[in-house]
Amino acid sequence: MSLTFPGFTSHYLRCAGREIHYTDWGPADAPVVIAWHGLARTGRDMDALADFLSSDYRVICPDTIGRGLSQWSPDPDREYCLDFYVQLATALVDQLQLARLHWVGTSMGGAIGTVAAATTLRGRIERLVLNDNGPSLAAPAIARIRAYAGNPQAFDTLTELEQYFRQVYKPYGWLSDAQWRLMTETSMRRLPDGRVAPHYDPAMVRQFVTRPDDYERWAEWDSLSLPVLCLRGEDSDLLLPETAEAMRVRGPCAAVATIPGCGHAPALNVPAQLELVRRFLEGA
C-alpha cells in the first residue's frame, strides 16, 4: 500500500518477517540513495536531505523496526541489533530490486551501512556516508543516549514534547522553528492515557544489554574498499577525534569532514552539509 504526499510516497514492505515503512523520493529510474536514521529517530529525519537530492536521485528513507511507522519487534533481544537491521536492509534492497545504491547513515544508520557494505550488500553499496558514526563509539556517550532513549518521557501536549526534543537534540545544530515542529509531528505517538511520547519502542535499547559490543566494527571497517565520507560533529561525544583520525588511515581511508556548530549528530538540514553529501555522491 502507498499514500502520496508532496515530495514523496509512503510505503510498507514485509522484510525478514517484519513490516517496514519507508518514504520514497525522486524519480524511480534515478540512481538510488538509501538514507537511514539514527538510534531513537525515524526516517523522516532525512526529509531535508531527501528533498535536496531528489532532483537527481531516488532517495529511500526507511524506519528501522521499532521506530516510526515500522512494526515493533515481538522478540526485542534477538531483533534489536545490527545483524538483524542488516537483514532488514538487505531484504528491503532486494525487494526494491536495487542492483547498485549509495548509503547515507546517521549514527546507527551509518553502522548498519558499514556492516551491510562489508557483508550482505558488499559490491552493491557504491559510496558510503557516515554521519557522526564510526567503527568504534565512545562508551560514555552510549550510556548518555541509552539513558534518555530507554526511558522516554511522556507529555500532555505536543508543544511540551517539542521543547523536550529541542533540549535532547540540541547537539544536532541549527534547526528552524518549522523543522523542530516537523521533527516533533513526525516522531510522536499518543499513549493510551492521551499523553504523547517519542515514536519508538523503548525496548530497542536492549541492544546494549544483549550485545554490548555491537558497535565495535573495526573488522568490517578494515575489510571495506569503497569510497567513504565521514561527517563528524565538531563537538561530538560519540565519535571521538582519534577514532575519526584512525578512519582516515585504516580500511577504506575515509575522507573526514568536521561539521562546526554540531555535536552528535549533524541534522543534515543546512546547505553546507547537504552540498558536502551531494559532492561526495557525485564523486567530486
Side-chain angles (χ1 to χ4, degrees), residues 23 29 43 71 80 119 122 130 148-150 182 191 212-213 215-216 240-241 254 257 265 272 279:
T23 58
D29 58 352
Q71 180 181 357
Y80 290 147
T119 56
R122 178 177 286 274
L130 304 179
Y148 75 74
L182 179 64
L191 302 176
D213 298 322
Y215 287 91
E216 292 296 317
L240 299 179
R279 288 198 300 269

Side-chain angles (χ1 to χ4, degrees), residues 178-211:
Q179 287 170 334
W180 281 116
R181 179 56 50 88
L182 179 64
M183 172 191 285
T184 306
E185 292 179 344
T186 58
S187 55
M188 59 76 67
R189 60 189 174 96
R190 195 167 292 278
L191 302 176
D193 64 6
R195 294 182 300 163
V196 291
H199 207 325
Y200 63 82
D201 180 0
M204 56 87 176
V205 299
R206 292 288 302 166
Q207 176 183 20
F208 301 108
V209 176
T210 61
R211 293 166 177 81

Side-chain angles (χ1 to χ4, degrees), residues 31-34 49 52-53 57 101-105 114 117 125-131 221 224-231 247 252-257 259 268 271-284:
V32 175
V33 176
I34 299 285
L49 176 69
F52 180 76
L53 295 176
Y57 294 91
L101 60 132
H102 303 309
W103 188 288
V104 179
T114 296
I125 296 178
E126 297 183 310
R127 287 179 171 266
L128 175 64
V129 180
L130 304 179
N131 183 26
W221 176 262
L224 296 177
S225 58
L226 77 171
V228 179
L229 170 65
C230 173
L231 306 176
M247 293 167 69
C253 298
V256 178
I259 307 301
L268 302 182
Q273 297 171 25
L274 298 172
E275 285 292 350
L276 272 174
V277 174
R278 181 198 287 277
R279 288 198 300 269
F280 174 76
L281 296 179
E282 293 174 347

Side-chain angles (χ1 to χ4, degrees), residues 42-278:
T42 81
R44 296 298 303 275
D45 278 13
M46 297 297 188
D47 278 11
L49 176 69
D51 182 63
F52 180 76
L53 295 176
S54 62
S55 58
D56 300 303
Y57 294 91
R58 179 186 181 190
V59 187
I60 307 294
C61 307
D63 290 339
T64 310
I65 184 173
R67 285 81 160 177
L69 300 180
S70 289
Q71 180 181 357
W72 286 20
S73 174
D75 190 358
D77 283 359
R78 186 179 72 85
E79 296 182 351
Y80 290 147
C81 65
L82 289 183
D83 287 348
F84 191 71
Y85 300 157
V86 170
Q87 288 184 46
L88 294 173
T90 304
L92 179 67
V93 168
D94 286 345
Q95 289 191 62
L96 294 176
Q97 300 181 329
L98 307 177
R100 297 286 186 272
L101 60 132
H102 303 309
W103 188 288
V104 179
T106 292
S107 193
M108 177 194 73
I112 297 170
T114 296
V115 176
T119 56
T120 55
L121 295 180
R122 178 177 286 274
R124 294 168 73 179
I125 296 178
E126 297 183 310
R127 287 179 171 266
L128 175 64
V129 180
L130 304 179
N131 183 26
D132 215 61
N133 175 262
S136 184
L137 304 177
I142 290 177
R144 172 182 63 80
I145 294 169
R146 178 182 168 187
Y148 75 74
N151 297 282
Q153 297 187 42
F155 302 91
D156 292 330
T157 68
L158 198 75
T159 300
E160 291 172 295
L161 179 61
E162 180 181 329
Q163 290 305 313
Y164 169 75
F165 282 149
R166 284 174 179 257
Q167 176 185 355
V168 170
Y169 296 122
K170 185 176 180 180
Y172 280 20
W174 181 87
L175 280 79
S176 69
D177 289 343
Q179 287 170 334
W180 281 116
R181 179 56 50 88
L182 179 64
M183 172 191 285
T184 306
E185 292 179 344
T186 58
S187 55
M188 59 76 67
R189 60 189 174 96
R190 195 167 292 278
L191 302 176
D193 64 6
R195 294 182 300 163
V196 291
H199 207 325
Y200 63 82
D201 180 0
M204 56 87 176
V205 299
R206 292 288 302 166
Q207 176 183 20
F208 301 108
V209 176
T210 61
R211 293 166 177 81
D213 298 322
D214 213 11
Y215 287 91
E216 292 296 317
R217 294 290 177 167
W218 282 113
E220 288 86 352
W221 176 262
D222 288 336
S223 78
L224 296 177
S225 58
L226 77 171
V228 179
L229 170 65
C230 173
L231 306 176
R232 180 183 178 272
E234 181 179 32
D235 301 317
S236 176
D237 62 343
L238 189 72
L239 179 60
L240 299 179
E242 54 267 33
T243 303
E245 182 58 32
M247 293 167 69
R248 292 182 191 267
V249 298
R250 289 182 58 170
C253 298
V256 178
T258 299
I259 307 301
C262 298
H264 180 75
L268 302 182
N269 66 324
V270 296
Q273 297 171 25
L274 298 172
E275 285 292 350
L276 272 174
V277 174
R278 181 198 287 277

